[in-house]
Amino acid sequence: MSKLNIEELKQRSLEIRKQYHELELSHHGSKWTVEEDALAFLTDAGLVGRLTMSQQGRWPKANTDEELKHKLGESIWWLVVLAERMNIDIEEAVENFLTKTENMF
């Protein structure tokens, strides 16, 4: 499997989100709002927490590695989608965060 670059991550993420928008239109008559996308991200982020607890033996659920990998990937996907919908350059945002944080140390 080849490594994914940021530009490919953005393009593929937005194409998938476009497909989900089509499902939302057919099921609800409208696309989800940015706020609904943010809530969906928070739900998945919460699941990352619970699945991490399971993986670390602090919650009684076995064999969570594949589900945890999926939710970690999905959470990154949501962040890319949210940034795009809010006109934020995700690559710039991450670079600024990393530089600012590195400079603190």
Side-chain angles (χ1 to χ4, degrees):
M1 181 181 285
S2 66
K3 298 285 183 180
L4 189 65
N5 67 46
I6 294 283
E7 196 53 43
E8 183 182 1
L9 171 63
K10 288 181 354 184
Q11 290 174 2
R12 291 173 66 189
S13 293
L14 296 176
E15 185 56 38
I16 290 169
R17 189 67 190 100
K18 182 179 171 184
Q19 297 300 313
Y20 275 114
H21 280 313
E22 294 302 318
L23 285 174
E24 293 154 12
L25 284 169
S26 69
H27 288 282
H28 309 290
S30 64
K31 298 176 186 178
W32 279 9
T33 64
V34 174
E35 296 89 346
E36 288 170 312
D37 279 0
L39 182 58
F41 160 68
L42 290 173
T43 300
D44 287 331
L47 289 170
V48 167
R50 181 53 54 91
L51 293 167
T52 299
M53 288 177 66
S54 297
Q55 189 210 43
Q56 297 298 308
R58 305 299 287 174
W59 189 257
K61 183 177 179 183
N63 303 318
T64 58
D65 283 355
E66 287 306 311
E67 194 175 357
L68 178 56
K69 287 178 191 177
H70 179 87
K71 287 299 174 187
L72 283 168
E74 189 173 13
S75 293
I76 292 168
W77 172 77
W78 273 122
L79 291 171
V80 170
V81 167
L82 284 166
E84 183 69 22
R85 292 196 74 193
M86 293 184 283
N87 298 313
I88 294 172
D89 182 325
I90 191 72
E91 191 171 358
E92 180 184 329
V94 172
E95 176 61 36
N96 289 344
F97 164 79
L98 291 173
T99 299
K100 182 178 180 179
T101 304
E102 289 166 341
N103 289 335
M104 287 178 10
F105 294 102

